[in-house]
Amino acid sequence: MKVCLGQINTTPGDFKGNLERVKKGIDIASAQNCDLIVFPELTLTGYLSQDLLYNPEYIEASLSTLEEIKRVSLVSNPMLHIVLGYVAMNPGPGKPYVNAAAVINQGQLISEYRKQLLPSYDVFDEVRYFEPGFEPACFSIKNSKIGIAVCEDLWNDKNSDDYNYKKNPALQYRDLGVDLLVSLNSSPYVQGKREQRFKKILDISKSGLDIVYVNQIGGQDELVFDGNSFVVQGGKVVLVAEEIFRDSYPIFDFQESGMESLGSKDPVDSFHELKDLLILGMKDYVEKSGFDQVVLASSGGVDSALVCMLACEALGSENVHAVRMPSIFSSEHSREDAIQLHQNLGCWDYEIPIVHESIVADLNERYAIHSNPLNLVYKKNSEKKYNPVADENMQARLRDIYIMHFSNAYRAMPLSTGNKTESACGYYTHFDMNFSFAPIKDLYKHQVFRLARSDARIPSNIWTKPPSAELAANQLDEESLLPYSILDPIVMAYVEGSISSFLLFRSWCLANGHVEISSDKIALQSWLESAVASDQYSSLVSLIGKMEYKRRQTCPGTKVSKVAFGIGRRIPIVEKWS
């Protein structure tokens, strides 16, 4: 049997574009005399469509597109069987739709499968829209019995989060004696997930079941899909589709295969994969939103430098506008570092100095003399307490205004440059993360440094100097917070592990082997044993909880971790636990 894997980049609601990608795959598979072509989960509607599914015209468009695929199949190679995902109506009680996979051959729907295991954790909420199926579905090609599964169906026990199902579709197919199982997937990227997929699918195949696993590619809002579609034959991974920046249609012939195992990707390469998927997530978010230019504030710091580099990779340096906005507290080396960065990358460079002191003075003068309806006048040296941090934040707010002006004037999407560690602690000026997209929103600070060090175009001074917001004289991040080698593990344990006590955190670091996320293991170990660690930890965890109101107002960014600040993490803003 000859199989084509349709690893494509779909978009919710782009029925015309999604159809063209499917038709291209059908043409390729037909020309190569394939027996079968498999596309991702919900191929026709795109994934995630969310509440667009409540629009009846949306569903009608999905069903109409399916009919068009049937017509296309009439003129394709008659041996070709097309398997793709779509939204079908649920004729019975329950939710209005089913997450379905259709098998089409010569204009006919010869089989239909309904996804049985519907995820409702993290970013997934399929039980909101779909009624689960209850039965397997099989069809035959050349005396081979083929079964169909959709994504979660092969993950009835994910081990990592105790989200276990009573049903196991993989066992159903084993009992039916199928020869080949095809799995349609829209599985978003999380670091380390590729290796988990290989292990899970290889475990399922141990009984002699061959598997074709097809996953989509591309960015969709906060998610990015990494593809990595693969074929398992004889308990070995024999094909992997590693192209992520464009649709690919690799072909595998089960009859001609020498069954040489490809293994899994070297873990050393996983960080390069992270970089590529950050680029892909940004590229798709910008271009699918109808933009071709971006603008960002470039300070000479490591966060903005990394965002600038990723933007140049995603969109081309000629489409990236980097604006330097020094204030009286900006160092000359930061100015020089930013200029050198822009020259190395080949992007646009602008300098717009920030003059904030006169604005602050004028505002405070006016606030000081303004009266209330009772004619009570606030005097300059009254009891009304003044927070000097407002003076610092005015600089950041003026920068936001200047970036938004450029965005409006020249139609360039504004990028935020904040990272996950700082976002957790609210260590950014309100509205500073409120632009259109935050490419490194889900990166811890140590990841930011590592990615910056990996690109020779980013001047070494940018990632060797101590991080600073440069909103006050001699200001350093780690004087306001803890060192990032300590802060990163605290944030990760709290956000991804729901750990909020010092004793549990200490165990998490030492016993569970997560200390490797620290950029300085010795410093972390020393801090854990210090007398002040427990109190500092409690203060920081409390701070992270209280900053939920700021994070809720931030723009989307690509999710790459198990738990990101975004649609997959649902915490009340007003609460007393933290």
Side-chain angles (χ1 to χ4, degrees):
M1 187 188 309
K2 204 172 183 180
V3 181
C4 181
L5 284 64
Q7 182 169 282
I8 61 175
N9 186 337
T10 63
T11 302
D14 184 15
F15 293 101
K16 181 179 178 181
N18 297 342
L19 173 61
E20 289 304 312
R21 295 172 190 274
V22 170
K23 288 168 66 176
K24 181 178 178 180
I26 293 172
D27 289 343
I28 292 171
S30 292
Q32 295 296 317
N33 295 316
C34 290
D35 303 288
L36 175 65
I37 183 169
V38 184
F39 291 98
E41 178 182 11
L42 294 176
T43 318
L44 302 184
T45 56
Y47 195 93
L48 300 159
S49 288
Q50 298 180 302
D51 284 4
L52 288 173
L53 295 176
Y54 288 138
N55 188 324
E57 293 182 356
Y58 196 83
I59 304 303
E60 289 173 13
S62 172
L63 297 175
S64 295
T65 308
L66 183 68
E67 292 302 314
E68 178 61 24
I69 298 295
K70 292 180 183 179
R71 288 189 286 271
V72 170
S73 73
L74 284 171
V75 296
S76 68
N77 192 317
M79 72 176 69
L80 182 65
H81 293 68
I82 304 161
V83 181
L84 51 77
Y86 77 108
V87 176
M89 302 297 296
N90 175 29
K95 299 297 170 64
Y97 313 116
V98 292
N99 185 336
V103 183
I104 299 169
N105 176 249
Q106 283 294 280
Q108 299 297 315
L109 180 65
I110 65 170
S111 183
E112 180 184 84
Y113 173 74
R114 299 181 174 186
K115 185 176 182 179
Q116 298 185 60
L117 306 186
L118 303 179
S120 59
Y121 57 90
D122 192 31
V123 301
F124 308 106
D125 198 6
E126 293 193 24
V127 295
R128 180 179 174 90
Y129 313 102
F130 301 124
E131 189 69 14
F134 297 96
E135 301 293 335
C138 299
F139 63 102
S140 297
I141 298 178
K142 293 181 177 179
N143 298 319
S144 292
K145 191 173 185 179
I146 303 170
I148 309 169
V150 178
C151 208
E152 190 81 0
D153 288 330
L154 299 188
W155 293 80
N156 81 304
D157 180 357
K158 289 178 290 301
N159 300 319
S160 60
D161 56 9
D162 296 324
Y163 197 94
N164 303 328
Y165 300 91
K166 294 180 180 179
K167 298 183 68 175
N168 190 332
L171 289 180
Q172 291 178 332
Y173 286 115
R174 281 180 183 170
D175 293 342
L176 289 171
V178 302
D179 303 296
L180 175 67
L181 181 61
V182 296
S183 177
L184 293 70
N185 300 269
S186 287
S187 176
Y189 172 77
V190 172
Q191 283 187 282
K193 194 171 186 180
R194 173 189 167 117
E195 287 70 28
Q196 291 177 358
R197 288 194 200 115
F198 279 4
K199 183 179 185 304
K200 184 68 176 179
I201 303 305
L202 284 170
D203 285 346
I204 293 171
S205 73
K206 284 180 180 178
S207 63
L209 185 65
D210 292 340
I211 299 173
V212 173
Y213 182 103
V214 178
N215 189 30
Q216 78 171 58
I217 57 169
Q220 177 55 45
D221 293 349
E222 297 175 33
L223 305 182
V224 63
F225 299 92
D226 60 306
N228 279 311
S229 303
F230 59 97
V231 176
V232 173
Q233 183 187 26
K236 299 178 180 179
V237 177
V238 291
L239 180 145
V240 180
E242 295 188 346
E243 175 62 68
I244 61 169
F245 288 105
R246 59 188 62 84
D247 296 345
S248 63
Y249 305 90
I251 294 172
F252 182 79
D253 192 332
F254 280 89
Q255 298 304 118
E256 296 181 0
S257 168
M259 285 181 36
E260 180 180 351
S261 176
L262 297 181
S264 61
K265 184 180 285 187
D266 187 334
V268 173
D269 293 333
S270 63
F271 218 74
H272 298 292
E273 184 179 46
L274 170 62
K275 177 182 174 181
D276 286 345
L277 288 160
L278 289 170
I279 292 168
L280 177 61
M282 188 196 317
K283 178 180 176 64
D284 274 0
Y285 189 88
V286 173
E287 293 181 349
K288 290 181 179 182
S289 297
F291 287 82
D292 57 14
Q293 309 268 316
V294 294
V295 59
L296 70 147
S298 184
S299 65
V302 68
D303 296 307
S304 61
L306 179 58
V307 170
C308 194
M309 181 272 285
L310 293 172
C312 289
E313 289 290 303
L315 305 163
S317 56
E318 70 277 9
N319 297 313
V320 177
H321 301 270
V323 186
R324 294 178 289 104
M325 292 174 283
S327 72
I328 59 170
F329 300 113
S330 299
S331 61
E332 184 60 25
H333 66 76
S334 289
R335 177 180 181 274
E336 293 171 354
D337 292 341
I339 292 173
Q340 186 63 58
L341 171 73
H342 303 161
Q343 289 175 347
N344 293 350
L345 294 172
C347 64
W348 294 87
D349 174 83
Y350 310 83
E351 180 170 275
I352 313 293
I354 296 295
V355 181
H356 73 288
E357 292 175 296
S358 59
I359 295 175
V360 170
D362 180 64
L363 285 173
N364 289 341
E365 177 67 23
R366 293 175 185 275
Y367 289 145
I369 64 174
H370 196 73
S371 61
N372 67 10
L374 298 179
N375 296 317
L376 299 175
V377 179
Y378 288 119
K379 301 297 183 182
K380 276 187 178 180
N381 295 314
S382 69
E383 295 179 357
K384 194 175 183 181
K385 189 174 181 180
Y386 184 78
N387 182 3
V389 174
D391 295 2
E392 298 180 19
N393 290 343
M394 180 60 73
Q395 298 164 72
R397 293 199 167 95
L398 288 173
R399 289 169 180 154
D400 293 346
I401 291 172
Y402 294 173
I403 293 297
M404 283 308 306
H405 176 76
F406 188 101
S407 173
N408 292 160
Y410 300 105
R411 204 174 187 281
M413 179 180 283
L415 301 178
S416 292
T417 61
N419 64 66
K420 188 173 189 173
T421 306
E422 293 166 354
S423 181
C425 301
Y427 195 66
Y428 58 92
T429 303
H430 209 66
F431 309 131
D432 222 15
M433 284 282 285
N434 289 36
F435 290 148
S436 295
F437 193 67
I440 62 171
K441 181 180 180 179
D442 199 29
L443 292 188
Y444 297 98
K445 193 72 172 188
H446 78 280
Q447 293 175 306
V448 173
F449 276 113
R450 185 173 175 185
L451 280 172
R453 289 195 301 267
S454 71
D455 195 298
R457 295 170 297 177
I458 297 179
S460 60
N461 192 50
I462 286 179
W463 45 263
T464 55
K465 65 187 176 187
S468 170
E470 292 194 337
L471 297 178
N474 303 315
Q475 186 180 56
L476 295 176
D477 289 3
E478 294 189 352
E479 291 179 354
S480 300
L481 304 167
L482 283 172
Y484 286 111
S485 58
I486 300 169
L487 193 54
D488 275 354
I490 292 175
V491 174
M492 186 178 189
Y494 182 85
V495 177
E496 298 189 37
S498 299
I499 292 172
S500 57
S501 78
F502 179 71
L503 290 179
L504 286 177
F505 172 68
R506 196 170 187 276
S507 297
W508 183 87
C509 287
L510 302 179
N512 297 328
H514 290 292
V515 72
E516 68 271 8
I517 74 159
S518 173
S519 57
D520 188 339
K521 299 176 186 178
I522 296 176
L524 175 61
Q525 178 70 33
S526 177
W527 178 81
L528 287 170
E529 296 172 355
S530 70
V532 298
S534 180
D535 289 342
Q536 289 181 335
Y537 176 87
S538 298
S539 296
L540 268 168
V541 165
S542 177
L543 176 65
I544 293 170
K546 291 174 181 176
M547 290 299 105
E548 186 63 31
Y549 79 100
K550 289 181 75 172
R551 290 190 295 271
R552 189 69 64 88
Q553 299 175 63
T554 60
C555 60
T558 302
K559 178 184 184 296
V560 295
S561 69
K562 179 184 174 183
V563 180
F565 294 129
I567 60 171
R569 184 177 184 268
R570 304 172 189 181
I571 302 294
I573 294 175
V574 178
E575 47 88 11
K576 295 297 183 182
W577 175 256
S578 301

